[in-house]
Amino acid sequence: MEEKYNGQNEENLSMEDILKQMDEVDERRGRSKTAEVHSIQPDGLLVILEGKLDGFAPESELVKPLKEYNIGDKIEVQIMKVDEDEGRSVVSEKRIYFRTALKKVENAYKSGEPVTGTILGETKGGYNVKLLNVVPAFLPGSQSGIRRGRPIPEGEQEFKVINFRKKKRGTNIVVSLTAFKEEKVKAYFEALETGSTVEGTIESIKDFGAFVRLTNEVVGLIPASEVSWDPSQKVHDVLNVGDKVTVKVIDVDPEKKKISLSLKQLQEDPWNTVEEKYPVGSVVEGVVKSIVPFGFFVMIEPGVEGLVHISEVFWGNVRRDLKELIREGDRVKVKIKDIDKEKRTLSLSYREALGDPWDNIEEKYKVGEIVDGKVVKVLPTGAIVELEEYVSGFVPVSEMSWNFVDRVEDVVKESSEVKTKILSIDKENRRMRLSLKQATEDPWQKVHTELKVGDYVEGKITRLIKSGAVVMVDGYGVEAFLPASQVAMKRVENLEDAIKIGEHRRFKIIRLVYDPEKDVRNMVVSIKQLLLDKEKEETQKALEELSGEESSTLSLGEKLKEHLEKNSEGEK
């Protein structure tokens, strides 16, 4: 019998066989002895029995794992056999312990108290379990709470003995993991109250919230909305797996075994004191959290955000891309416009926190003053020039240049730096009228001083228009008008046949007006009158020459005709 047991694992024997073996050993070797651990070997323990080093306990006959024993430990053992050749006994701790452990399991079955054990592995219909390190038992799958294919729980578990039946060949023991869990869960839910505070460990984190392990059997959920008063914070920004947390119970559903928890409700709601901390009209600093088409949101403190509507961003009728002004994460100053504590909303103003630049506009800018500006918009009717942020004025096309302006783009370009003269300021309507041409000296004053009707000037034809041509007068920087009727002696059907752009010629001034009070300045020139003057001059010269010749049978008129014909032939 001893050899048979020594060659087999006790789990392959029935409990009846084990008990019979124990009885036989008891009769031959005594019931139990106290042994002291002398040394720890790879396959068991060398022990001292009755003062002599003559015992060996194989690892398979130990109650605990080999690594849990220490030299000097006292253990109760049963002598299994004596090896006469080696002069030592083979002993078993498990044989002594087994009967006691089996009795504990039976008592646990009767009392309903838990008994500890470990799950050895999966078998048909369930799992093999070892109770109190020595007593084999069966755990049905339906009583395990373990999903098929999932890892088997490691380490000691608490089982409830739901069946303990003695048979001829042993004892049939069936245990349950879920029975005690259900009882514990039920008891936990019965004791749990809404509004109470509990502690737990973050078990897993999802986008919708964080699961908190409250006990070995109970898990609660912190919804994402209950993590922080700051709605922009994600669950992962606040919590990590393994964190120990104290949370408030906000809802309990015993039937569905669900518990809703809150982390933020253990902190003061910032909206409770928002009116005292941020009164209407105060200027505060915050962080830009997001930019939307209708404005941007600013966080004043975690959980307190407000909207700066697009109408509260810029002064005046300004339409700019918000992302050119600010970026997410920027710190900005805003003014509290309105507080709705019930709806938890703030209305904020970015522009009022900066101050209205038009409040003291008449102190900063004077009518008649020449100032620097930047062209921000070119229009068919003129240009908008910005003097400073949110302060701009309009330059009408009539004030673009001292000369005729066909296209505004020919005078200024967007983003170009210019000097302008302030013509008027309308503070109430936030308007300013500017002049580019008056920021420079009036060239027509020199024209008025030095030129008059009948004078001859030279210039270059710069462009052709339907009614004539525009001439840039040399030395004065002003433009004169050449009517189509004054281009040649005869009627011209097509101007391009008579004159060319870029052609440099001499002209006669036939009209000159300078009236700065009425803002009238113009010059009209003529090629035709120049030719007529030249012809008249030549005629007068010819008359003078002919009148000095000797008498002839020809009349003076005939002589003049003959003279002109000769000159004409010569020119030809």
Side-chain angles (χ1 to χ4, degrees):
M1 177 68 85
E2 292 176 355
E3 292 297 324
K4 180 180 179 181
Y5 185 82
N6 191 46
Q8 291 182 320
N9 186 291
E10 55 93 17
E11 291 171 8
N12 295 325
L13 298 175
S14 69
M15 280 189 288
E16 191 68 26
D17 293 336
I18 294 172
L19 292 174
K20 287 180 179 179
Q21 288 182 3
M22 291 175 63
D23 290 338
E24 292 174 5
V25 172
D26 286 346
E27 292 175 359
R28 295 168 55 191
R29 302 299 183 187
R31 295 188 61 82
S32 70
K33 294 182 180 293
T34 300
E36 180 183 338
V37 177
H38 178 269
S39 65
I40 301 170
Q41 304 298 315
D43 56 348
L45 303 176
L46 285 177
V47 297
I48 298 173
L49 287 171
E50 297 177 345
K52 294 186 288 185
L53 181 60
D54 64 353
F56 178 72
E59 186 175 9
S60 61
E61 294 298 327
L62 297 174
V63 173
K64 300 183 294 184
L66 190 61
K67 62 182 180 181
E68 294 185 16
Y69 291 86
N70 298 300
I71 295 173
D73 285 351
K74 298 288 194 302
I75 59 176
E76 294 295 318
V77 298
Q78 179 82 45
I79 298 176
M80 292 167 53
K81 69 174 183 176
V82 177
D83 189 330
E84 301 293 346
D85 295 334
E86 295 188 9
R88 71 178 185 182
S89 302
V90 177
V91 300
S92 170
E93 180 189 24
K94 189 179 291 184
R95 300 287 175 116
I96 292 295
Y97 182 74
F98 185 87
R99 189 182 295 276
T100 303
L102 188 62
K103 190 62 178 177
K104 287 182 179 179
V105 173
E106 184 178 8
N107 291 338
Y109 170 67
K110 293 176 180 178
S111 66
E113 294 182 355
V115 62
T116 59
T118 56
I119 300 175
L120 301 177
E122 193 171 348
T123 187
K124 185 178 180 181
Y127 303 86
N128 287 326
V129 174
K130 184 183 287 185
L131 301 176
L132 302 175
N133 290 323
V134 294
V135 180
F138 175 68
L139 171 65
S142 60
Q143 294 291 326
S144 68
I146 305 170
R147 292 183 181 180
R148 286 288 179 179
R150 299 297 293 272
I152 296 173
E154 296 181 358
E156 284 196 342
Q157 310 288 325
E158 283 193 340
F159 298 90
K160 182 173 184 178
V161 182
I162 59 177
N163 192 7
F164 187 94
R165 190 186 309 170
K166 292 182 178 180
K167 295 182 178 181
K168 291 182 179 180
R169 290 187 55 82
T171 305
N172 182 30
I173 301 173
V174 180
V175 295
S176 172
L177 263 180
T178 58
F180 274 129
K181 286 185 177 180
E182 290 174 359
E183 290 177 9
K184 289 182 179 179
V185 169
K186 183 180 179 181
Y188 188 87
F189 272 86
E190 287 176 351
L192 196 63
E193 294 181 0
T194 300
S196 61
T197 300
V198 294
E199 294 182 350
T201 303
I202 302 299
E203 189 169 74
S204 64
I205 296 176
K206 308 293 181 183
D207 290 338
F208 56 82
F211 288 99
V212 182
R213 174 63 64 181
L214 302 176
T215 69
N216 289 335
E217 300 79 21
V218 181
V219 174
L221 173 68
I222 307 175
S225 60
E226 292 296 326
V227 171
S228 171
W229 288 112
D230 183 357
S232 66
Q233 284 196 312
K234 306 299 182 185
V235 184
H236 294 83
D237 298 333
V238 181
L239 299 171
N240 298 296
V241 173
D243 285 352
K244 303 291 184 183
V245 292
T246 301
V247 289
K248 183 178 180 179
V249 179
I250 58 176
D251 188 54
V252 179
D253 188 339
E255 291 185 6
K256 296 182 179 180
K257 300 295 186 291
K258 290 185 178 180
I259 303 173
S260 294
L261 308 169
S262 176
L263 187 65
K264 73 178 186 181
Q265 290 190 32
L266 290 182
Q267 305 165 357
E268 183 183 3
D269 184 351
W271 281 91
N272 290 339
T273 56
V274 71
E275 292 173 327
E276 292 76 23
K277 293 171 68 176
Y278 312 110
V280 173
S282 62
V283 175
V284 298
E285 192 173 86
V287 178
V288 177
K289 297 299 291 183
S290 61
I291 301 172
V292 292
F294 51 85
F296 59 92
F297 289 92
V298 177
M299 183 184 73
I300 308 302
E301 67 171 80
V304 179
E305 285 188 12
L307 171 67
V308 179
H309 191 267
I310 188 71
S311 61
E312 291 294 333
V313 177
F314 305 107
W315 287 108
N317 188 25
V318 179
R319 288 292 178 268
R320 285 170 55 189
D321 186 352
L322 289 176
K323 292 183 179 179
E324 293 179 2
L325 175 69
I326 50 157
R327 293 178 296 178
E328 291 183 7
D330 284 353
R331 296 196 67 84
V332 295
K333 288 185 177 181
V334 290
K335 186 176 182 179
I336 308 294
K337 297 279 289 180
D338 185 56
I339 299 173
D340 191 330
K341 194 172 178 180
E342 184 178 341
K343 294 182 179 179
R344 304 171 75 90
T345 59
L346 292 178
S347 295
L348 308 173
S349 177
Y350 176 76
R351 67 181 189 176
E352 289 188 23
L354 295 177
D356 187 352
W358 283 84
D359 284 345
N360 59 344
I361 195 72
E362 292 169 334
E363 297 176 11
K364 294 188 292 183
Y365 300 102
K366 308 293 182 184
V367 173
E369 184 182 9
I370 295 175
V371 294
D372 293 323
K374 180 181 179 180
V375 179
V376 293
K377 188 73 174 178
V378 175
L379 305 169
T381 56
I384 298 175
V385 176
E386 185 181 68
L387 305 187
E388 64 175 83
E389 193 169 24
Y390 310 124
V391 176
S392 59
F394 180 64
V395 181
V397 68
S398 60
E399 292 296 330
M400 298 298 298
S401 171
W402 291 111
N403 296 315
F404 175 78
V405 176
D406 187 23
R407 295 191 323 142
V408 178
E409 293 87 343
D410 296 335
V411 182
V412 293
K413 305 292 182 185
E414 287 188 7
S415 300
S416 59
E417 304 287 339
V418 294
K419 287 186 177 294
T420 62
K421 183 177 181 179
I422 299 174
L423 302 182
S424 65
I425 298 174
D426 184 350
K427 180 180 177 179
E428 183 177 349
N429 294 308
R430 309 170 73 88
R431 293 177 181 173
M432 195 179 289
R433 191 167 182 269
L434 307 173
S435 174
L436 286 180
K437 71 179 186 182
Q438 293 188 46
T440 60
E441 186 178 354
D442 185 354
W444 286 92
Q445 187 173 1
K446 181 180 178 183
V447 171
H448 173 69
T449 303
E450 298 180 2
L451 299 176
K452 62 183 181 300
V453 174
D455 286 350
Y456 299 111
V457 293
E458 293 186 357
K460 184 169 68 174
I461 297 172
T462 57
R463 59 186 181 277
L464 302 179
I465 57 179
K466 187 175 181 180
S467 57
V470 177
V471 177
M472 178 60 72
V473 181
D474 291 352
Y476 293 92
V478 299
E479 291 180 335
F481 177 59
L482 172 63
S485 62
Q486 298 297 318
V487 171
M489 295 290 288
K490 296 181 180 181
R491 180 181 175 85
V492 176
E493 296 294 336
N494 188 355
L495 284 177
E496 293 182 354
D497 294 338
I499 53 178
K500 306 293 182 185
I501 294 177
E503 183 180 356
H504 195 273
R505 300 193 63 156
R506 200 163 185 247
F507 307 89
K508 181 179 180 179
I509 301 174
I510 60 174
R511 187 169 185 268
L512 182 60
V513 180
Y514 178 67
D515 190 349
E517 292 185 1
K518 296 182 179 180
D519 197 22
V520 178
R521 300 168 177 82
N522 62 64
M523 180 190 297
V524 181
V525 297
S526 171
I527 296 175
K528 177 180 178 180
Q529 294 301 321
L530 179 70
L531 294 175
L532 287 174
D533 287 352
K534 184 178 180 182
E535 185 178 280
K536 183 178 179 180
E537 182 183 341
E538 290 177 350
T539 300
Q540 183 63 36
K541 183 178 179 182
L543 286 174
E544 291 175 356
E545 291 177 355
L546 292 174
S547 63
E549 293 180 358
E550 295 180 358
S551 59
S552 170
T553 56
L554 297 175
S555 65
L556 183 59
E558 290 173 336
K559 289 180 180 180
L560 178 58
K561 180 180 179 182
E562 183 179 297
H563 180 77
L564 291 175
E565 288 176 350
K566 287 181 180 179
N567 287 341
S568 178
E569 289 294 329
E571 288 179 0
K572 290 181 181 180

